[in-house]
Amino acid sequence: MRLFVDRAFQVVALAVLCLALMALGALILDVWQDGARRLTWDFLSGFPSRRPENAGIWHALSGSIFVILVTAALAVPVGVAAAIYLEEYGTRSLMAKLIEINIANLAAVPSIIYGLLGLGLFVRGLAMGRSVLAGASTLALLVLPVIILATREALRAVPPSIREASYALGATKWQTVWHQVIPVALPGILTGTILALSRAIGETAPLITIGALTFVAFAPDSIWSPFTVLPIQIFNWVSRPQPAFRANAAAAILVLLALLLTMNAAAIWLRDRYQKKLT
Amino acid sequence: MTLRPRARSRGFEALIEWALFICALLSIGTTAGIILVLAIETVAFLREVSIVAFLFGTEWTPLFATPRFGVLPLVAGTTLVSVIAMLVALPMGLLSAIYLSEYAPPRLRRVIKPVLEILAGVPTVVYGYFALLFVTPLLQRFIPGLAGFNALGPGIVMGIMILPLVSSLSEDAMQAVPRGLREGSYALGATRMQTSIRVVVPAAFSGITAACILAASRAIGETMIVAIAAGQQPRLTWNPLVPIETMTAYIVQVSLGDTPQGTIEYRTIFAVGMLLFLGTFLLNLASAWLRERFREEYG
Amino acid sequence: MNSPGQPVRSLAAVAARATRPAADKPAKVRAERLNFYYGDTRALQDISVDIQPNLVTAFIGPSGCGKSTFLRTLNRMNDIIPHTRVEGRVRIDEADIYAPAVDVVALRRRVGMVFQKSNPFPKSIFENIAYGLRINDLAGSRSELAGRVEESLQQAALWDEVKDRLQESALALSGGQQQRLCIARALAVRPEILLMDEPASALDPIATQRIEELIYDLKQAYTIVIVTHNMQQAARVSDFTAFFWLGRLVEYDRTEKIFTNPTEKLTEDYVTGRFG
């Protein structure tokens, strides 16, 4: 009898798991059904229009890519540098511990709060306006904790024997870090960075809050220009009652998911090559 | 043997360390920035609205002709959706965790875990689409009184989104429980289910609780699903079938409009944001404290 | 006299008697009442020893007796470990290496180290050797660099085996070859002293023999200190031997004396295998 209950429990648990996975399947299927037929070259390269059949996403797609590139340029050097400090230079000092706790907390702050920070600090305080730079700065602060944590993991994975050998030859700490530690940790750092950026590309709330406009109809041409991103365009179309816009939203979702898939695949490919290199 | 220092390289090393330190300090700057930005506007807000009226008022109509600034309807909306999400995510997440930790053969684990990661990685705006245009219509077939915007649909979808978080953190906690405890239970003739539920889960309890608290914090701070599918009608109710508005959705609503800086409407989003920040901060603190305690127990 | 089971009451007295052999040349490395602490735990107690130039000195003793710790104080590698403290002096050529103004980086170039588990960098064979030269600004032109690399590999008796594959990864070499590469890497920066921490303990007997032959050849030009738990190796390879026990130096003398006619009973018990 007990064995029967045990078996039943196992089946129930597995069924619950499958239910969750089926939800994912339903989501993808639903989006595909709604939007696949709108995936044309015109859609990808076109601009928004009041008539849903003519609308395109180039303004949002280029905006997304541009913003992510600027975000990377801001967040990656600072994040890697901070991680190097904490992992290689920070002793068990109180300051380092404080910074660590702080980073762990920042990683769990809701993204919309970063939007409010961006609004108060970048858009108004530093007078960047509703520009690509303000958006990228906000997203950079958002992904910074993730990049720092991922880089620290990669640095920790470097065997201490390599550092010892370098010091024993008379190398300074920075020489050791720059010539030996970073090259070995680089694939891991890149993997973590790409994953962090792939999260950023799906972020909507912080960018809406800093005022990324929902009716921007052009591709951004400089870091000072107004912009919009793919998730915001999706939000915009979902909010319209006409069913034709629903198809556009679904198609845009497919493009966004494809973008995410590419980034994650790149990260995983990098990680696998990294594993092979160390063994 | 000369052992005199090379002055030039010593200066360079010190400069590098200083630059790296500044980068690390930026994280403290971020937290300080968040607190500062929120506090400045909240303080200005509270000069015009009493804190009692804000925290305990039951009507939220800041954009009306006769504005009311009682935040309870927003808090109620947030709580309602979060509770629904937790009711979905907790049991399902825990069951998945038990299955993955105690039952699943390694090959199955290797397949299921990445798929769960995918669930966690879907952008929330996509989940919002799913909630509004698939889940709610589906539910409307079974619940005739369900409004187009409601708390139930997004709540369920949010639960699915949070499920991987509960599952993976709980699984980690259970994996940290030493084998010896399980073996002792098996040796007494217990089944896997009895061992899981009566031995492993209680042993991993503080770790699992930490996971749940973190998931709740995530649910409270979630924005797009509710902004799309839950509605924009602040309402002090426990009814999941009617439109409501959450704290996060309100901030989005105002940001979409063109509210000039310095007005009280502008300040409301910071006041609500401050409340949100404090709430999630306390939850994160509790979760981290529990996780520390759990780590101390099991090394 | 003391035997292993009993608490050591007069070990301090024993250490004080540890003989310093008559020096025909001034000591290359001199430790004066060196004490070393990991946090609050004292790992080395009152170590005083003179290490002779151009000879091989072996440190022997059971596991955990402090011989590796002491070795690492000679090139200040213990500085990397947090919460450690040194009292006393270590002089190299009469200059105290723990003086406040000492440049540790320059010290480590003069005192090379080879580790127990070979740790080549995950780079090419050539780059492994070139790294030390580059960071210490020791080679100007590309050809000078190549020359120094070949010279080090020759010294480590590895040149013939790798001369055709210098650009291949160092990790592709066998265990014995990797250790000789690490020796070549250490020799490339032309140290005066070479510290070797159980260099052959992870190697098979044939590779071990090659390392021992190498040590014999190298002592013409370098002062070598080798830590080993293998007493036969110490007897084969070294000119002087220091026996450590529980963080103290028990006896220090010419190798033949230590192994055939030691002064301290503790030493005799250890080398005859009564405890280990």
Side-chain angles (χ1 to χ4, degrees), chain C residues 12-13 15-16 20 30-37 42 44-50 70 73 85-91 96 98 247-249:
Chain C
R20 263 175 229 124
R30 167 171 291 167
E32 295 172 7
R33 302 200 58 127
L34 186 73
N35 288 276
F36 184 81
Y37 297 83
R42 174 144 66 165
L44 294 175
Q45 190 163 352
D46 281 341
I47 309 279
S48 297
V49 68
D50 289 357
F70 179 55
T73 62
R85 203 172 81 239
V86 163
E87 286 170 4
R89 277 199 257 276
V90 175
R91 296 186 193 274
D96 180 14
Y98 282 93
R248 289 182 198 259
L249 175 61

Side-chain angles (χ1 to χ4, degrees), chain A residues 243-266:
Chain A
F245 282 115
R246 182 185 312 180
N248 285 358
I253 287 177
L254 288 171
V255 174
L256 181 62
L257 290 178
L259 209 58
L260 274 171
L261 206 67
T262 317
M263 291 179 82
N264 279 285

Side-chain angles (χ1 to χ4, degrees), chain A residues 2-3 5-6 9-10 12-14 16-17 19-21 23-24 26-27 30-31 34 77-78 81-82 84-86 89 95 98-99 102-103 105-106 108-114 116-117 119-121 124 130 141 144 148 170 172-175 202 204-205 208-209 211 214 231 234-235 238 246 249-250 253 256-257 260, chain B residues 6 12-13 16-17 20-21 23-28 30-31 33-34 37-38 92 95-96 98-100 103 108 112 115-116 118-119 121-123 125-127 129-130 132-134 160 163 189-194 197 214 217 221 223-224 227-228 248 251-252 255-256 258-259 261 266 269-270 273 276-277 280-281 284:
Chain A
R2 273 191 319 159
L3 278 173
V5 172
D6 188 64
F9 179 77
Q10 193 174 352
V12 166
L14 191 55
V16 157
L17 252 177
L19 205 67
L21 304 183
L24 182 65
L27 187 154
D30 181 50
V31 170
D34 286 345
V78 174
I84 291 178
Y85 179 79
L86 290 172
Y89 288 82
M95 184 54 110
L98 194 71
I99 296 179
N102 191 44
I103 290 176
N105 185 53
L106 281 176
V109 168
S111 60
I112 197 166
I113 303 282
Y114 282 97
L116 290 173
L117 172 64
L119 180 61
L121 179 63
R124 313 277 188 183
R130 300 171 162 192
L141 289 183
L144 207 57
I148 293 178
T172 63
K173 182 167 270 187
W174 178 245
Q175 282 170 329
T204 324
I208 291 183
T209 312
T214 54
I234 294 171
F235 174 66
V238 169
R246 182 185 312 180
I253 287 177
L256 181 62
L257 290 178
L260 274 171
Chain B
R6 298 176 287 192
F12 179 65
E13 285 287 313
I16 293 270
E17 182 167 351
L20 295 175
F21 178 64
C23 290
L25 220 53
L26 202 68
S27 68
I28 300 217
T30 307
T31 306
I34 292 177
V37 166
L38 292 176
M92 285 179 73
L95 273 173
S96 324
I98 294 178
Y99 183 78
L100 286 172
Y103 285 89
L108 201 57
I112 292 185
V115 181
L116 278 180
I118 296 179
L119 259 182
V122 173
V125 71
V126 178
Y127 275 122
Y129 174 97
F130 188 55
L132 182 71
L133 298 177
F134 183 85
I160 296 176
L163 195 156
T191 63
R192 255 197 290 198
M193 178 184 109
Q194 289 173 318
I197 296 184
L214 204 62
S217 163
T223 310
M224 293 320 291
I228 292 177
T248 50
I251 299 176
V252 167
S255 303
L256 286 172
D258 214 356
T259 323
Q261 185 188 12
Y266 175 77
I269 60 174
F270 289 90
L276 187 67
F277 177 68
T280 51
F281 181 69
N284 294 340

Side-chain angles (χ1 to χ4, degrees), chain A residues 28-50:
Chain A
I28 298 179
L29 212 68
D30 181 50
V31 170
W32 181 264
Q33 270 181 336
D34 286 345
R37 61 193 147 80
R38 286 289 289 129
L39 280 180
T40 64
W41 181 250
D42 287 336
F43 182 70
L44 287 174
S45 59
F47 289 93
S49 150
R50 239 171 295 138

Side-chain angles (χ1 to χ4, degrees), chain B residues 1-6 10, chain C residues 92 101-103 105 110 192:
Chain B
M1 169 182 300
T2 53
L3 298 171
R4 271 175 284 115
R6 298 176 287 192
R10 275 243 170 122
Chain C
I92 297 184
V102 162
D103 180 6
V105 160
R110 304 323 254 278
E192 295 161 36

Side-chain angles (χ1 to χ4, degrees), chain C residues 174-247:
Chain C
S174 74
Q177 287 173 323
Q178 284 187 13
Q179 192 64 304
R180 275 180 285 147
L181 178 65
C182 292
I183 295 175
R185 180 177 66 183
L187 294 177
V189 297
R190 295 204 184 133
E192 295 161 36
I193 302 166
L194 193 58
L195 307 176
M196 306 178 94
D197 191 351
E198 307 210 36
S201 66
L203 303 178
D204 63 75
I206 296 185
T208 301
Q209 188 183 4
R210 297 197 70 171
I211 301 274
E212 289 179 10
E213 285 167 5
L214 190 56
I215 294 175
Y216 185 80
D217 290 333
L218 287 175
K219 76 176 180 190
Q220 314 281 343
Y222 303 92
T223 303
I224 300 183
V225 182
I226 170 171
V227 164
T228 179
H229 66 268
N230 181 338
M231 282 183 288
Q232 289 80 6
Q233 180 173 85
R236 281 192 297 268
V237 146
S238 64
D239 302 299
F240 283 90
T241 298
F243 170 53
F244 288 81
W245 195 62
L246 293 183

